């Protein structure tokens, strides 16, 4: 058991799965000789060779399409999209082909690919290196979407994703790579896809978040505890399939819910959670279902001042918690 | 100029089999057209009539273990590959006994057990998938190749160029087969493609290519065998362009107002089924009796397929929710 950051957790999961199963291989831009733009794949080319750590040209659609083709011919590909912002040229392959493979083959074949992509702002990446893209895929049955918040979950969920028989999108918050550290056991383990986690139990209010925002949410919950507000933090971990049971169980206990995400407000995961709670837990509610998200702007601004203003932060979450608690 | 049967040293049973397959495709589609008119088949129906020599020239020389991915005008490819005629017809009827249990329809035939990895209705989307199938084939040292069939419309898609580049870069066993029928739906190649002969696009990637008369089944077969041998021998991809013509509209709903009637008549004089029939008789490779027997057996097969499709049940409602994820 040791403390590692989220970046190391991703690296270790890849390395261990490649060592465990020779069907696992990686492909993506600059992942081999360079070790990845964020260094998540450093050393893997040297250890596993060019056949299993494939540097591709800049061709996102082909990266995912090749992964699909290889996966239905017996391989377990892990494709890296260098920044989540670059996933758009591959959306057709993900949505039209990977998500529908099992359906159109009558269950004769699944499409066991993993598409990893660093997402999110907070690193001054500007419009094309900061996006949160999860809501785009959230309404596409056939896909699984995982967004880990801790090194433990990142490693265990990535292993589960690689072993999963269906396509998994795995979004890693680039700011959390080095920011978030945590304990990770030495022995092999997986974290099941589709299960949320109560990262802090509480009585007064439910806070639903994922990714970097789950980390900030925990920080904010600890801070408002000093004011006597006891917040339960539900870290979704998996967006699809959504753990509706965990959300409803918590809300029925606390009677209030705040949903936090970095993705734009409109049409985000929070809207679906709000609809779920409104429909299934209406009688339990003692306050308005509340969302805190990035505003509906076309892109993350580059300027640090604007970026800070756009993204939810621990301070903004604290304020939203206090407002909702006081309702 | 068509090769004579003698020049090809083609055996009589092979020649008769080629003729049977071409007639099967022609009559299957004529019957499908009739069933469409009688509202037994709905949606979009894209007929391959006029292009039969391409499917029949290229697919039978493949080995059973080889893969095929193709486009949405694929009844002919599925029949040439030996998918069950009755199950293809049932799929067109949207019945539970179809190749995709009625969930796919005409454009999305699939039979993994025959290495028939699908018809694709997103133009060009199958090309990276074919490349990935071939990548895995190389990795697993299987010696199986992938035939990737696309139309002239796909040539202008980015995935064409991405896939050609990767297949050449990684020396993958893909036979790229372009069925150039002169029109992408209602727009002529002359108005859609800036280059001249499409087969020369391969030159930029160092991929060898050949252009063949797609109305002559023996010429196509000879070129296909050369191309297959090249690809299987480990020399990397090959690009075969077959020049052909779609006798009908893009789909059943298309009255083909955009085409020159004289041009149509000129191509129809080169009808690949009629031409090959005449050659068989003239070269004495087949007797009138042989031909009559084949045509009769095809008619019986088609009649049986229609009866089977007609008598088959519709898919049950709960079928809709199956095969989304592994259960």
């Amino acid at each position: 058991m040791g403390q590692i950051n989220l970046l190391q957790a991703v690296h270790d999961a890849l390395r261990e799965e490649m060592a465990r199963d020779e069907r696992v291989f990686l492909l993506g831009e600059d992942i081999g000789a360079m070790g990845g733009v964020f260094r998540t794949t450093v050393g893997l080319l040297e250890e596993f060779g060019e056949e299993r750590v494939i540097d591709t040209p800049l061709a996102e659609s082909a990266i995912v399409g090749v992964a699909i083709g290889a996966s239905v011919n017996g391989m377990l590909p892990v494709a890296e999209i260098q920044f989540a912002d670059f996933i758009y040229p591959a959306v057709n392959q993900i949505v039209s082909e990977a998500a529908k493979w099992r359906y159109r083959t009558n269950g004769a074949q699944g499409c066991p690919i993993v598409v990893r992509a660093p997402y999110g702002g907070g690193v001054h990446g500007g419009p094309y290196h900061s996006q949160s893209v999860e809501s785009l895929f959230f309404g596409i049955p056939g896909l699984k979407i995982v967004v880990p918040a801790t090194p433990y979950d990142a490693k265990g969920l990535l292993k589960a994703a690689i072993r999963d028989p269906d396509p998994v999108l795995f979004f890693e918050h680039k700011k959390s790579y080095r920011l978030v550290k945590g304990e990770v056991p030495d022995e092999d383990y997986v974290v099941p896809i589709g299960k949320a986690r109560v990262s802090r139990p509480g009585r007064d209010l439910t806070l639903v978040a994922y990714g970097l925002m789950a980390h900030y949410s925990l920080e904010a919950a600890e801070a408002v505890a000093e004011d006597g507000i006891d917040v339960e933090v539900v870290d979704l971990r998996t967006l699809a399939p959504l753990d509706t049971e965990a959300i409803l169980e918590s809300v029925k206990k606390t009677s209030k819910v705040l949903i936090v995400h970095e993705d734009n407000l409109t049409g985000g995961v929070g809207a679906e959670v709000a609809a779920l709670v409104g429909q299934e837990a209406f009688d339990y509610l003692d306050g308005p279902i509340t969302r805190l998200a990035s505003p509906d702007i076309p892109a993350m601004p580059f300027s640090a001042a604007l970026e800070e203003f756009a993204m939810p932060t621990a301070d903004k979450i604290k304020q939203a918690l206090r407002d909702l608690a006081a309702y | 100029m068509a090769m004579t049967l003698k020049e090809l040293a083609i055996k009589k049973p092979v020649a008769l089999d080629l003729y049977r397959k071409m007639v099967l495709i022609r009559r299957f589609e004529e019957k499908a057209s009739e069933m469409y008119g009688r509202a037994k088949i709905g949606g979009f129906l894209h007929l391959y009539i006029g292009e039969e020599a391409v499917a029949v020239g290229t697919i039978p020389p493949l080995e059973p273990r080889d893969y095929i991915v193709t486009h949405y005008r694929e009844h002919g490819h599925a029949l040439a590959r030996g998918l069950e005629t009755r199950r293809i017809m049932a799929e067109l009827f949207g019945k539970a006994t179809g190749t995709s249990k009625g969930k796919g329809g005409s454009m999305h035939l699939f039979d993994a057990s025959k290495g028939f990895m699908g018809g694709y209705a997103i133009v060009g989307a199958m090309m990276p998938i074919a490349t990935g199938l071939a990548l895995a084939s190389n990795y697993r040292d299987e010696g199986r190749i992938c035939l990737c069939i696309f139309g002239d419309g796909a040539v202008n898609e980015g995935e064409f160029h991405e896939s050609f580049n990767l297949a050449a870069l990684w020396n993958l066993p893909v036979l790229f087969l372009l069925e150039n029928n002169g029109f992408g739906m209602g727009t002529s190649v002359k108005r859609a493609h800036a280059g001249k002969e499409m087969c020369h696009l391969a030159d930029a990637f160092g991929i060898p290519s050949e252009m063949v008369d797609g109305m002559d089944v023996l010429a196509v077969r000879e070129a296909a065998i050369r191309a297959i041998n090249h690809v299987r021998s480990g020399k990397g991809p090959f690009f075969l362009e077959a020049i052909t013509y779609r006798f009908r509209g893009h789909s059943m709903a298309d009255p083909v107002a955009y085409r020159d009637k004289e041009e149509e008549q000129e191509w129809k004089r080169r009808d690949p089924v009629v031409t090959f029939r005449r050659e068989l008789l003239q070269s004495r490779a087949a007797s009138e009796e042989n031909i009559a027997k084949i045509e009769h057996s095809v008619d019986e097969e088609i009649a049986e397929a229609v009866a089977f499709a007609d008598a088959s049940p519709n898919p049950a409602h709960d079928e809709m929710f199956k095969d989304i994820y592994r259960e």
Side-chain angles (χ1 to χ4, degrees):
Chain A
M1 188 75 101
Q3 281 265 345
I4 60 170
N5 61 23
L6 199 140
L7 179 69
Q8 188 68 39
V10 169
H11 172 275
D12 292 355
L14 293 173
R15 181 171 176 271
E16 288 172 26
E17 288 304 291
M18 291 184 80
R20 192 183 65 82
D21 188 337
E22 65 174 22
R23 294 174 302 167
V24 180
F25 76 100
L26 315 182
L27 72 168
E29 296 158 4
D30 310 303
I31 63 164
M34 183 180 170
V37 72
F38 289 99
R39 319 294 291 158
T40 43
T41 50
V42 76
L44 299 181
L45 173 69
E46 292 75 6
E47 185 170 353
F48 297 104
E50 278 186 342
E51 239 193 340
R52 297 184 64 195
V53 182
I54 304 176
D55 274 321
T56 67
L58 309 188
E60 291 78 14
S61 179
I63 291 170
V64 176
V66 164
I68 293 169
S71 81
V72 298
N73 189 6
M75 304 289 287
L76 298 175
V78 182
E80 178 177 304
I81 298 294
Q82 196 164 65
F83 284 81
D85 312 62
F86 307 164
I87 207 167
Y88 299 116
V91 168
N92 178 53
Q93 288 292 336
I94 295 168
V95 173
S96 297
E97 311 305 344
K100 293 167 179 52
W101 199 274
R102 189 178 293 284
Y103 204 64
R104 69 172 305 196
T105 65
N106 286 329
Q109 285 192 319
C111 174
I113 63 167
V114 177
V115 179
R116 291 179 42 243
Y119 81 101
V123 299
H124 318 314
Y128 301 106
H129 293 76
S130 306
Q131 295 176 48
S132 298
V133 300
E134 62 272 19
S135 67
L136 198 74
F137 300 101
F138 186 53
I140 309 291
L143 298 178
K144 296 182 180 180
I145 307 173
V146 174
V147 192
T150 67
Y152 180 89
D153 283 346
K155 185 170 177 187
L157 282 164
L158 184 50
K159 285 180 167 233
I162 292 169
R163 299 177 198 183
D164 197 276
D166 288 302
V168 181
L169 303 183
F170 197 88
F171 296 123
E172 303 152 11
H173 199 290
K174 63 176 81 70
K175 186 168 176 134
S176 69
Y177 272 150
R178 293 178 195 278
L179 177 73
V180 183
K181 297 184 178 66
E183 298 277 332
V184 171
D186 296 326
E187 63 273 15
D188 182 49
Y189 69 97
V190 293
V191 173
I193 290 174
K195 292 282 174 210
R197 180 175 76 101
V198 175
S199 58
R200 184 189 193 281
R203 287 173 321 224
D204 298 336
L205 203 154
T206 296
L207 202 178
V208 177
Y210 56 90
L212 179 66
M213 292 303 138
H215 182 71
Y216 286 172
S217 292
L218 208 50
E219 190 185 326
E222 293 300 338
V224 299
E226 292 168 16
D227 308 340
I229 304 169
D230 190 16
V231 176
E232 176 148 303
V233 180
V234 177
D235 175 359
L236 291 176
R237 304 198 288 192
T238 298
L239 303 183
L242 189 65
D243 190 350
T244 55
E245 212 173 297
I247 295 166
L248 292 172
E249 193 184 322
S250 178
V251 175
K252 285 177 181 175
K253 185 175 81 175
T254 65
S255 303
K256 286 181 179 175
V257 62
L258 169 69
I259 309 139
V260 180
H261 55 67
E262 183 180 329
D263 204 351
N264 290 0
L265 182 73
T266 299
V269 172
E272 186 61 28
V273 174
L276 171 79
V277 171
Q279 189 163 341
E280 303 292 333
F282 183 74
D283 291 342
Y284 295 84
L285 289 172
D286 282 337
I289 302 167
T290 308
R291 289 177 295 163
L292 175 66
S294 289
D296 292 329
I297 50 176
M300 186 70 79
F302 165 69
S303 159
L306 291 179
E307 186 179 43
E308 167 97 12
F309 188 61
M311 283 178 71
T313 59
D315 281 343
K316 290 179 199 173
I317 299 170
K318 276 186 252 175
Q319 191 54 49
L321 287 170
R322 289 194 181 106
D323 291 348
L324 187 55
Y327 180 86
Chain B
M1 185 64 200
M3 304 285 155
T4 67
L5 293 167
K6 204 182 256 175
E7 274 166 350
L8 265 177
I10 194 168
K11 293 193 178 107
K12 185 175 167 183
V14 175
L16 294 184
D17 183 58
L18 296 180
Y19 182 67
R20 190 182 193 284
K21 284 190 164 69
M22 288 216 287
V23 174
L24 178 67
I25 296 170
R26 174 66 57 95
R27 301 226 168 149
F28 178 94
E29 293 211 306
E30 285 170 347
K31 186 57 79 176
S33 171
E34 184 192 326
M35 291 297 124
Y36 191 88
R38 291 168 54 186
K40 293 283 187 185
I41 298 172
F44 305 101
L45 186 69
H46 306 89
L47 300 181
Y48 190 63
I49 290 175
E51 306 183 37
E52 294 90 343
V54 185
V56 176
T58 54
I59 292 173
L62 292 171
E63 293 180 12
R65 63 186 175 145
D66 292 334
Y67 285 120
I68 298 173
V69 301
T70 181
H71 49 74
Y72 55 85
R73 193 181 302 283
E74 91 288 32
H75 310 148
H77 306 138
L79 289 164
R81 184 56 165 181
L83 273 69
E84 274 186 86
T85 307
R86 48 155 59 188
R87 294 194 62 213
I88 300 174
M89 190 63 87
E91 188 63 31
L92 267 56
F93 274 56
K95 295 298 185 73
T97 52
T99 52
S100 297
K101 295 185 191 166
K103 286 195 251 184
S106 157
M107 294 185 269
H108 314 105
L109 302 171
F110 201 108
D111 188 347
S113 72
K114 293 263 198 300
F116 192 83
M117 307 301 277
Y120 293 75
I122 307 283
V123 173
M126 78 297 264
M127 301 190 69
I129 295 172
T131 307
L133 284 162
L135 177 88
S137 173
N138 259 13
Y139 180 83
R140 290 147 58 97
D141 207 10
E142 293 177 323
R144 73 209 301 198
I145 71 168
C146 182
L147 173 65
C148 176
I149 310 172
F150 50 96
D152 45 82
V155 169
N156 302 315
E157 294 278 0
E159 285 171 322
F160 170 95
H161 302 270
E162 292 186 18
S163 302
F164 265 50
N165 185 41
L166 290 183
L169 193 64
W170 297 337
N171 202 47
L172 301 179
V174 191
L175 170 49
F176 292 109
L177 171 63
L178 165 59
E179 295 185 318
N180 184 347
N181 66 19
F183 286 84
M185 194 182 274
T187 304
S188 80
V189 166
K190 289 176 206 124
R191 295 177 58 229
H193 187 72
K196 290 217 165 94
E197 287 166 345
M198 286 178 167
C199 67
H200 291 310
L201 290 167
D203 301 350
F205 303 98
I207 298 175
S209 65
E210 185 178 336
M211 189 191 280
V212 66
D213 177 4
M215 307 306 271
D216 179 343
V217 68
L218 295 183
V220 174
R221 181 181 165 90
E222 199 188 49
I225 289 171
R226 274 196 299 274
I228 290 166
N229 288 340
H230 171 94
V231 171
R232 204 184 301 283
S233 70
K235 290 179 188 155
F238 193 93
F239 183 25
L240 185 61
E241 177 181 11
I243 305 296
T244 181
Y245 202 76
R246 189 188 74 208
F247 287 3
R248 303 289 187 94
H250 166 73
S251 71
M252 295 299 289
D254 173 14
V256 213
Y258 48 84
R259 255 184 357 197
D260 183 68
K261 297 301 154 205
E262 262 179 50
E263 177 189 279
E264 274 182 26
Q265 286 314 311
E266 216 170 284
W267 279 96
K268 283 180 182 171
R269 276 194 287 275
R270 304 191 52 227
D271 184 316
V273 182
V274 176
T275 309
F276 190 50
R277 187 184 200 276
R278 195 167 53 226
E279 277 176 20
L280 286 172
L281 290 170
Q282 282 173 355
S283 65
R284 297 180 195 282
S287 63
E288 290 281 2
E289 198 190 344
N290 294 144
I291 297 280
K293 206 171 145 193
I294 286 172
E295 292 172 355
H296 180 67
S297 90
V298 164
D299 286 341
E300 277 184 334
E301 185 174 336
I302 303 288
E304 195 278 336
V306 169
F308 173 78
D310 208 26
S312 291
N314 284 321
H317 283 176
D318 69 347
E319 187 59 46
M320 193 162 75
F321 301 104
K322 287 184 183 157
D323 301 325
I324 299 173
Y325 300 101
R326 186 156 82 189
E327 282 143 34

